[in-house]
Amino acid sequence: MGRLESDFYLRDTLLVAEELLGKRLVCCHRTRCSGQIVEVEAYHGRCDPAAHSFRGATTRNKVMFQEGGHCYVYLIYGMYHCVNVVTETKDVGAAVLIRAIEPLEGIQTMQRRRELKSAHSLADGPGKLCQALGITKKLNGEFFPDSDRIWIEEMDRSPSFKVQTSPRIGISKGTELPWRFTIQGSPWLSRPSS
DNA sequence: CACTAGATTTTCT
DNA sequence: GAAAATCTAGTGG
């Protein structure tokens, strides 16, 4: 299946967020690991108080201000990494946080990285999926359309595919906005969408 | 199952 | 110096 091209990302953040559901996130170090994206959150730039870019560019968030298609990785709580897909045109400062995937390829490698025997709770959370795929700040600034280490591919959606929205998780501002997108009924979410 | 506390360090005020 | 787009282990029903 084809890799998503630059113009996919250069669009409205909420639209990109919704359309990322059901796509395949691929990460290659030695072995190819991948999973279907089942949960994301949109962070809409200067108008969104929960976005890192709300108060303008800093050392940490400068990749968010690149053009859509870049990969923004940051360290959270001193321990875990989170991956984002930058959206819209240069200088907008918007991105989509990938929160959970359904593991598809390289499951043994992911289990080893997570030190887990089961496939369950392997990648059902933003920090967990980065650990499973081996995503660190080294990948901050990669460009999904032409990177040889991380990219996103087209994938067929199941016939029962439905999108559900809910409030974003783990933030203290902008909590009323329904900008968390999930595949309805997926057993691979970080938590149910009620 | 639900809830709570603790880990740990970068980043920004 | 406080907060942070989180996770795990531990406790108690």
Side-chain angles (χ1 to χ4, degrees):
Chain A
M1 285 276 181
R3 171 193 299 230
L4 298 182
E5 300 296 334
S6 186
D7 51 348
F8 175 88
Y9 305 98
L10 297 171
R11 299 180 298 157
D12 177 76
T13 307
L14 298 179
L15 187 64
V16 175
E18 191 171 334
E19 289 192 13
L20 277 172
L21 293 177
K23 300 288 192 284
R24 182 195 296 266
L25 175 65
V26 186
C27 192
C28 281
H29 290 99
R30 278 188 167 74
T31 57
R32 172 179 158 122
C33 294
S34 77
Q36 182 188 39
I37 299 172
V38 297
E39 173 177 347
V40 299
E41 283 176 3
Y43 287 89
H44 218 155
R46 302 302 279 263
C47 57
D48 176 6
H52 286 169
S53 52
F54 183 59
R55 292 171 195 283
T58 64
T59 320
R60 175 178 64 161
N61 69 17
K62 63 184 178 193
V63 172
M64 275 186 88
F65 290 88
Q66 307 265 37
E67 71 166 46
H70 281 85
C71 174
Y72 170 45
V73 183
Y74 65 91
L75 188 68
I76 187 67
Y77 297 108
M79 268 182 260
Y80 298 102
H81 295 274
C82 292
V83 228
N84 293 255
V85 175
V86 177
T87 58
E88 317 232 7
T89 50
K90 192 166 162 17
D91 298 325
V92 172
V96 176
L97 169 68
I98 301 179
R99 289 193 55 92
I101 61 172
E102 170 186 348
L104 294 174
E105 298 170 283
I107 291 177
Q108 283 196 338
T109 303
M110 295 196 254
Q111 284 171 335
R112 179 169 43 75
R113 290 194 182 114
R114 294 264 304 132
E115 297 182 339
L116 278 183
K117 288 180 181 169
S118 68
H120 202 254
S121 80
L122 197 52
D124 56 342
K128 297 186 203 176
L129 79 88
C130 282
Q131 199 175 20
L133 294 175
I135 296 172
T136 67
K137 280 198 291 187
K138 287 179 186 171
L139 297 183
N140 190 34
E142 289 286 306
F143 191 50
F144 288 112
D146 67 13
S147 171
D148 59 356
R149 289 191 287 179
I150 187 165
W151 64 90
I152 300 172
E153 293 178 2
E154 199 65 60
M155 211 170 72
D156 289 331
R157 289 175 160 186
S158 91
S160 60
F161 181 95
K162 260 189 198 161
V163 174
Q164 189 166 26
T165 60
S166 52
R168 294 175 291 181
I169 293 173
I171 54 170
S172 51
K173 295 165 223 161
T175 49
E176 72 289 352
L177 298 165
W179 287 354
R180 174 177 180 243
F181 298 83
T182 53
I183 296 182
Q184 191 171 67
S186 169
W188 306 96
L189 304 179
S190 67
R191 43 196 267 198
S193 301
S194 78

